[in-house]
């Protein structure tokens, strides 16, 4: 079998970036939630808010730490595997990525330490300010990254000369046509992620009867948030889709599994796209619905994949199914948000076991939905890396061999599997220990702070008697 | 502002970023390299504690350098990274393991030995890979029309293995002199003991590289033995620093060994730069060839003018807060 460095590099990039993306998507939402909790704690002095904020800050510390570790790899991927792409786009993407790193560094350097370790050391107002700044920093970071990514989908404000992009207008390049939609869609996705994770964990604690008052408050907050965000996300997603149809019609054609440009196109609920024969098998659809959604007319014209040659089409099956996974999970989220509203009558929302169990299971769905969404948008751009201007095979590092690419792919896979296992295991420990034990911080007072994970203060191994016995650490 | 100024300013910023990374991450990587040899487990705790507050700030310079290189000198980024593909992977894998070990070791009891290995192994791997990268850079790369055209393992040669060990010893030296400064008692005693052997190791590699380099690189040979005798001041200063380390260890000074080791690194680094100036990708790509568009450099510079001073002040402040000796079983608050 001939190893193809291009395919392997694409798999590697997809793997590394997916692995990295799940952390920020959670921390962006969580940082805002912590800022809100801090605000409430500051205003009302209610110990429940303090307890919640302290607990979720511990979780934030672990997830943020994993995001940073996996992020180091990202800044080198473009040069190692996509050097032609990096060379061509450096004039625009270089400053964008640098600004992202600088922002992240800035936020981490200045405010994260205060947020994680300053609760009892700085005035409450300063601590609140730090929480707000950390949340702001996460938004600014995602602003740069999503601007860079959007430009790859809808390049603007640049001129392609002799194989190199030159920026002609920074404002047009940064605020390129798909950026506002993508950014809004992503921020809402982060809020949904934060909301469903917090709701799921709170539901689990309520099922166990732990810290009922604080967790009831947290759950109530999340349900209100989700009630607003989940339907809004569907609307924003629709706008994003219309924008995509305008600039990347083949991506939409793949999402809809539509092979021929035509009118009155059905919305397919199920199909098996067959790229070799340029057709679907086993179609089940709602007549005219795709036309209606995309053009707001029942007989509107929807672009089809036959407008370009087969080798210029994205891999339809992956895009088609990833899109259905994303939308399906999105609808499920809306259902849960409304179920929460119905169960508010008589305060049943925090005492209904099936609902709480459901929320527990739902806590992982946003991650799947976010990754599915990224698969739709990124794979839907194929064969282009910069839409219409540079394709994958022009972008890959010329000197890269299949063997090298396989080596690094396996390597990253092994490294991340180990890191991820340790990280997730530890996160589970943090959740297991929970928020009851306010003494634990004092037990670890002699720990060296300033480390994201140090803020978690939870031993790595499971103790016999549940939680509250700190380990004998060296030198303590 | 002319075109020329920006390229030079960026060369200075990136050059500064790299040396910041090397000396700062150098001593905490050194901690990991020395880790398995430390007298006791308690000393290992102290060693880790001495760098815990600063190590990730130190590492951020690497990410900053990577992104900055892409923005300001894309051709350097896009020729050197493919050339060092395997080396870069090993470096990143080492840094990841080490970072995770930092987070989990203090929280572990039965699995602690695993984190010890992750910390020591990751640090050693990362340091060796960095040294090999430097060696590969001195060796030069096979570049045709701005694209790397060599093989996967060109960077791995007897020469780069030597520079790998050289930097391993160099980082260990930074680590041991850092310990002299930051600890007391048994651990400091041990650090004093290992510093001179490490220094001799570094100097040994240094001498071999100095003899070897003119043979692997015509250009450096011309530069060294041309009429610009002024550049001989750098190796001279390096040797003075080495002598200073030796002397200050003998006299039991606490801060001087570390300061002198910093000097050793800085002068070696400057020596490397002047040997090649103005070429950044050996053998024949200059700074100006490698630079990105003028307005891209300007666009990023505007932001960095505000950020870099803040980062520097914050870094200095962190070191100030965590100044003084680290004692076993006692943390900073």
């Amino acid at each position: 079998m001939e190893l193809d460095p291009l395919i392997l590099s694409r798999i590697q990039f997809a793997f590394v970036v997916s692995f990295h993306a799940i952390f920020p998507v959670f921390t962006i939402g969580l940082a805002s939630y912590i800022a809100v909790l801090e605000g409430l704690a500051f205003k009302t002095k209610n110990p429940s808010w303090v307890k919640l904020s302290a607990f979720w800050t511990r979780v934030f510390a672990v997830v943020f730490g994993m995001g940073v570790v996996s992020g180091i790899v990202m800044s080198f991927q473009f040069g190692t595997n996509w050097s032609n792409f990096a060379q061509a786009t450096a004039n625009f993407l270089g400053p964008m990525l640098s600004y992202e790193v600088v922002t992240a560094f800035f936020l981490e350097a200045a405010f994260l330490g205060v947020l994680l370790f300053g609760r009892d050391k700085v005035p409450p107002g300063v601590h609140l300010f730090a929480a707000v700044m950390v949340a702001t920093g996460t938004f600014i970071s995602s602003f740069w990254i999503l601007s860079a990514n959007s430009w790859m989908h809808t390049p603007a404000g640049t001129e392609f000369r002799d194989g190199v992009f030159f920026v002609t207008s920074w404002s047009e390049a940064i605020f390129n046509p798909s950026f506002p939609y993508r950014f809004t869609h992503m921020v809402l996705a982060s809020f949904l992620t934060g909301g469903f994770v917090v709701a799921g964990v709170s539901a689990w604690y309520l099922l166990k009867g732990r810290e009922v008052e604080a967790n009831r408050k947290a759950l109530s907050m999340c349900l209100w948030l989700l009630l607003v965000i989940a339907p809004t996300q569907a609307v924003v997603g629709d706008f994003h889709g219309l924008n995509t149809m305008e600039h990347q019609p083949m991506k939409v054609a793949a999402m809809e599994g539509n092979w021929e440009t035509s009118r009155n196109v059905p919305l397919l609920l199920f199909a098996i796209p067959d790229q070799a024969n340029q057709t679907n098998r086993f179609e089940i659809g709602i007549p005219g619905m795709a036309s209606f959604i995309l053009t707001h007319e029942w007989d509107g014209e929807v672009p089809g994949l036959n407008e370009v040659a087969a080798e210029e089409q994205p891999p339809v099956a992956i895009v088609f199914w990833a899109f259905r996974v994303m939308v399906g999970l999105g609808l499920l989220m809306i259902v849960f948000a409304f179920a929460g509203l119905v169960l508010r009558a008589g305060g049943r929302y925090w005492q209904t076991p099936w609902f709480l169990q459901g929320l527990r299971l739902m806590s992982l769905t946003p991650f799947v939905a976010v990754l599915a969404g990224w698969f739709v948008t990124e794979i839907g751009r194929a064969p282009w890396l910069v839409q219409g201007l540079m394709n994958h095979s022009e972008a890959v590092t010329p000197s890269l061999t299949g063997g090298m690419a396989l080596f690094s792919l396996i390597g990253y896979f092994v490294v991340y599997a180990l890191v991820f296992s340790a990280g997730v295991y530890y996160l589970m420990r943090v959740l297991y220990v929970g928020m009851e034990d306010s003494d634990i911080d004092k037990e670890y007072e002699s720990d060296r702070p300033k480390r994201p994970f140090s803020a978690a203060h939870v031993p790595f191994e499971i103790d016999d008697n549940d939680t509250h016995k700190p380990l004998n650490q060296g030198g303590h | 502002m002319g075109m020329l100024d920006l390229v030079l300013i960026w060369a200075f910023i990136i050059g500064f970023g790299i040396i910041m990374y090397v000396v700062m991450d150098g001593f905490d990587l050194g901690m990991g390299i020395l880790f398995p040899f430390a007298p006791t487990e308690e000393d290992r705790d102290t060693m880790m504690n001495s760098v815990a507050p600063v190590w990730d700030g130190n590492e951020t310079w690497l990410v900053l350098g990577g992104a900055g290189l892409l923005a300001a000198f894309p051709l350097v980024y896009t020729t050197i990274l493919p050339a060092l593909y395997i080396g870069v992977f090993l470096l990143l894998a080492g840094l990841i393991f080490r970072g995770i070990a930092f987070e989990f070791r203090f929280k572990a009891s039965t699995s602690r030995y695993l984190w010890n290995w992750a910390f020591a192994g990751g640090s050693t791997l990362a340091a060796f890979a960095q040294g090999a990268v430097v060696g590969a850079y001195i060796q030069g790369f096979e570049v045709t029309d701005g694209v790397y055209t060599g093989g996967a393992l060109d960077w791995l040669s007897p020469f780069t293995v030597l520079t790998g060990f050289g930097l391993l010893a160099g980082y260990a030296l930074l680590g041991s002199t850092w310990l002299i400064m930051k600890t007391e008692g048994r651990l400091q005693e041990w650090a004093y003991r290992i510093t001179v052997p490490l220094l001799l190791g570094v100097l040994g590699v240094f001498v071999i590289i100095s003899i070897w380099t003119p043979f692997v690189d015509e250009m450096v040979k011309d530069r060294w033995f041309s009429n610009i005798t002024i550049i001989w001041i750098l190796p001279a200063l390096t040797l003075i620093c080495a002598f200073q380390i030796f002397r200050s260890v003998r006299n039991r000074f606490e801060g001087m060994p570390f300061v002198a080791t910093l000097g050793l690194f800085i002068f070696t680094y400057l020596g490397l730069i002047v040997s090649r100036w103005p070429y950044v990708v050996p053998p024949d790509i200059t700074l100006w060839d490698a630079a990105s568009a003028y307005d891209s450099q300007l666009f990023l510079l505007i932001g960095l003018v505000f950020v870099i001073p803040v980062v520097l002040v914050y870094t200095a402040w962190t070191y100030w807060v965590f100044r003084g000796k680290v004692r076993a079983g006692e943390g900073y608050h």
Side-chain angles (χ1 to χ4, degrees):
Chain A
M1 192 187 112
E2 189 61 39
L3 286 172
D4 179 7
L6 175 57
I7 294 288
L8 291 169
S9 289
R10 286 176 66 186
I11 293 172
Q12 178 176 311
F13 197 88
F15 172 71
V16 171
V17 81
S18 300
F19 181 89
H20 174 63
I22 52 180
F23 302 112
V25 80
F26 182 33
T27 49
I28 294 165
L30 195 57
S32 296
Y33 181 58
I34 290 168
V36 170
L37 288 172
E38 283 290 315
L40 289 166
F42 182 73
K43 223 176 111 162
T44 64
K45 305 280 183 264
N46 182 327
S48 278
W49 300 129
V50 178
K51 205 171 261 191
L52 281 169
S53 175
F55 170 73
W56 285 108
T57 303
R58 283 205 287 275
V59 174
F60 180 87
V62 178
V63 180
F64 188 88
M66 289 175 69
V68 171
V69 166
S70 58
I72 293 175
V73 174
M74 289 305 307
S75 60
F76 292 92
Q77 283 290 294
F78 303 105
T80 51
N81 293 64
W82 305 98
S83 66
N84 282 1
F85 165 77
Q87 181 55 36
T89 58
N91 285 333
F92 176 62
L93 293 190
M96 291 286 118
L97 296 174
S98 295
Y99 268 122
E100 194 276 334
V101 172
V102 161
T103 311
F105 191 12
F106 201 80
L107 122 104
E108 184 179 359
F111 298 107
L112 191 65
V114 178
L115 176 65
L116 297 185
F117 306 106
R119 188 174 298 280
D120 306 319
K121 297 185 179 67
V122 296
V126 175
H127 198 247
L128 169 62
F129 180 70
V132 172
M133 287 313 289
V134 167
T136 310
T138 60
F139 287 122
I140 299 172
S141 256
S142 39
F143 169 91
W144 295 111
I145 283 292
L146 287 171
S147 169
N149 175 266
S150 294
W151 177 87
M152 290 163 66
H153 291 279
T154 52
T158 50
E159 181 183 19
F160 196 33
R161 273 206 316 271
D162 313 326
V164 176
F165 289 93
F166 292 90
V167 180
T168 51
S169 159
W170 287 99
S171 59
E172 278 176 37
I174 293 171
F175 297 99
N176 55 74
S178 64
F179 170 67
Y181 300 94
R182 199 180 311 276
F183 183 66
T184 314
H185 200 43
M186 192 64 193
V187 168
L188 291 177
S190 300
F191 283 172
L192 281 174
T193 306
F196 270 105
V197 171
V198 175
V201 171
S202 304
W204 179 62
Y205 283 139
L206 287 167
L207 283 165
K208 293 203 153 218
R210 292 171 63 178
E211 289 291 331
V212 172
E213 197 206 341
N215 284 305
R216 191 169 54 84
K217 279 182 152 79
L219 182 59
S220 170
M221 273 172 91
C222 285
L223 289 173
W224 284 125
L225 171 92
L226 296 174
L227 190 62
V228 177
I229 300 283
T232 308
Q233 179 70 311
V235 176
V236 170
D238 183 54
F239 277 109
H240 190 14
L242 296 180
N243 175 268
T244 304
M245 189 163 84
E246 187 184 338
H247 296 281
Q248 297 174 296
M250 288 311 102
K251 187 192 289 183
V252 172
M255 281 152 64
E256 298 296 347
N258 191 32
W259 295 96
E260 292 191 16
T261 305
S262 49
R263 297 185 173 280
N264 198 356
V265 176
L267 177 70
L268 299 178
L269 299 176
F270 182 91
I272 300 180
D274 177 354
Q275 199 131 6
N277 297 313
Q278 299 281 295
T279 183
N280 292 332
R281 287 177 290 164
F282 310 113
E283 284 189 6
I284 301 169
I286 305 171
M289 197 68 191
S291 284
F292 184 76
I293 290 173
L294 289 164
T295 65
H296 303 287
E297 287 168 15
W298 290 104
D299 65 344
E301 187 174 273
V302 175
L305 290 150
N306 67 344
E307 288 184 19
V308 295
E311 59 272 14
E312 284 195 24
Q313 295 170 355
V316 177
I318 301 178
V319 177
F320 179 88
W321 278 110
F323 181 62
R324 268 142 197 77
V325 167
M326 177 181 79
V327 173
L329 290 174
L331 293 172
L332 194 60
M333 290 177 200
I334 294 175
V335 168
F336 266 88
F338 277 97
L341 181 66
V342 172
L343 290 170
R344 274 199 190 267
R348 284 172 300 153
Y349 69 94
W350 59 280
Q351 293 162 313
T352 312
W354 65 263
F355 181 64
L356 296 176
Q357 288 288 3
L359 281 176
R360 263 187 72 195
L361 295 173
M362 283 298 288
S363 59
L364 290 177
T365 55
F367 296 103
V368 179
V370 164
L371 288 184
W374 277 109
F375 274 59
V376 171
T377 200
E378 292 295 294
I379 297 173
R381 195 181 50 217
W384 302 107
L385 202 53
V386 181
Q387 182 69 37
L389 295 167
M390 186 174 211
N391 65 28
H392 285 126
S393 50
E394 291 166 334
V396 75
T397 300
S399 59
L400 190 65
T401 63
M404 286 157 83
L406 185 67
F407 170 82
S408 63
L409 176 60
I410 293 170
Y412 282 123
F413 199 84
V414 170
V415 171
Y416 278 6
L418 289 168
V419 168
F420 190 70
S421 313
V424 167
Y425 165 79
Y426 186 66
L427 199 57
M428 291 297 143
R429 293 275 309 128
V430 172
L431 296 180
Y432 181 71
V433 169
M435 53 187 91
E436 285 90 345
D437 202 341
S438 54
D439 300 342
I440 203 157
D441 283 0
K442 299 193 176 47
E443 293 282 2
Y444 284 81
E445 196 52 44
S446 59
D447 246 356
R448 192 59 47 84
K450 287 265 306 102
R451 309 272 341 99
F453 279 55
S454 310
H457 285 325
V458 172
F460 194 79
E461 288 94 356
I462 296 171
D463 256 347
D464 295 339
N465 47 4
D466 201 26
T467 57
H468 316 316
K469 206 175 70 181
L471 291 164
N472 288 325
Q473 302 197 344
H476 293 287
Chain B
M1 287 256 288
M3 176 80 89
L4 176 116
D5 303 330
L6 267 195
V7 172
L8 287 179
I9 288 170
W10 270 107
F12 177 77
I13 292 175
I14 301 281
F16 177 73
I18 292 173
I19 191 68
M20 280 297 274
Y21 171 77
V22 166
V23 297
M24 285 169 46
D25 212 26
F27 69 78
D28 62 52
L29 281 167
M31 250 359 82
I33 298 163
L34 298 173
F35 215 58
F37 311 103
T40 65
E41 191 66 13
E42 193 188 20
D43 290 330
R44 279 192 265 273
D45 290 338
T46 310
M47 284 163 77
M48 221 158 174
N49 269 338
S50 74
V51 292
V54 292
W55 78 273
D56 59 346
N58 295 348
E59 211 160 84
T60 314
W61 289 93
L62 179 67
V63 186
L64 221 50
L69 206 55
L70 172 63
F73 299 106
L75 201 60
V76 181
Y77 180 88
T78 58
T79 48
I80 290 185
L81 284 178
L84 302 169
Y85 191 87
I86 306 285
V88 168
F89 166 77
L90 295 175
L91 165 65
L92 293 173
L95 289 180
I96 289 174
F97 276 116
R98 166 170 160 270
I100 292 292
F102 255 115
E103 305 292 7
F104 289 136
R105 182 177 170 274
F106 275 119
K107 302 189 167 20
S109 55
T110 47
S111 62
R112 177 174 280 226
Y113 72 99
L114 286 173
W115 298 117
N116 280 352
W117 279 110
F119 182 60
S123 304
T124 306
L125 181 66
F128 180 82
Q130 282 177 30
V133 163
V134 174
Y137 184 78
I138 295 172
Q139 246 177 219
F141 307 102
E142 196 182 310
V143 175
T144 322
D145 301 331
V147 172
Y148 175 70
T149 45
L153 293 176
D154 288 13
W155 63 276
L156 195 64
S157 66
F159 182 71
T160 60
V161 169
L162 178 76
T163 54
F165 281 115
L167 197 64
L168 214 51
Y171 280 170
L173 180 67
L174 268 174
S176 71
T177 52
W178 167 261
L179 283 175
I180 289 173
M181 189 167 66
K182 297 292 285 186
T183 61
E184 46 202 1
R186 181 186 52 205
L187 183 58
Q188 189 191 36
E189 208 48 49
W190 175 72
Y192 271 126
R193 248 197 339 270
I194 59 171
T195 295
V196 170
L198 283 171
L199 175 65
L200 292 175
V202 172
L203 288 178
V205 173
F206 205 71
V207 168
I208 300 171
I209 290 175
S210 303
I211 294 168
W212 198 335
T213 303
F215 291 103
V216 294
D217 194 322
E218 275 301 309
M219 190 207 129
V220 171
K221 183 171 146 191
D222 293 347
R223 175 64 51 92
W224 283 8
F225 301 105
S226 68
N227 47 12
I228 321 179
T229 43
I230 188 76
I231 69 165
W232 286 93
I233 197 167
L234 289 166
L237 285 167
T238 310
L239 285 175
I240 290 171
C241 285
F243 179 69
Q244 186 63 12
I245 298 170
F246 178 74
R247 210 177 59 94
S248 56
V249 166
R250 211 182 45 192
N251 292 339
R252 291 283 158 161
F253 294 158
E254 293 197 325
M256 184 46 85
F258 185 68
V259 175
T261 309
L262 289 185
L264 186 86
F265 266 84
I266 289 165
F267 293 128
T268 309
Y269 177 73
L270 288 174
L272 196 67
I273 292 175
V274 299
S275 300
R276 299 210 162 271
W277 186 267
Y279 298 98
V280 279
V281 182
D284 58 1
I285 297 173
T286 68
L287 277 171
W288 285 267
D289 300 332
S292 61
Y294 177 79
D295 63 333
S296 296
Q297 291 197 335
L298 185 64
F299 179 74
L300 183 57
L301 191 61
I302 292 164
L304 286 189
V305 162
F306 294 98
V307 174
I308 288 184
V310 174
V311 169
L312 287 176
V313 167
Y314 176 81
T315 305
W317 181 77
T318 306
Y319 278 85
W320 174 250
V321 166
F322 295 103
R323 69 191 180 280
K325 297 285 186 189
V326 186
R327 293 184 181 84
E330 186 184 292
Y332 298 114
H333 301 294

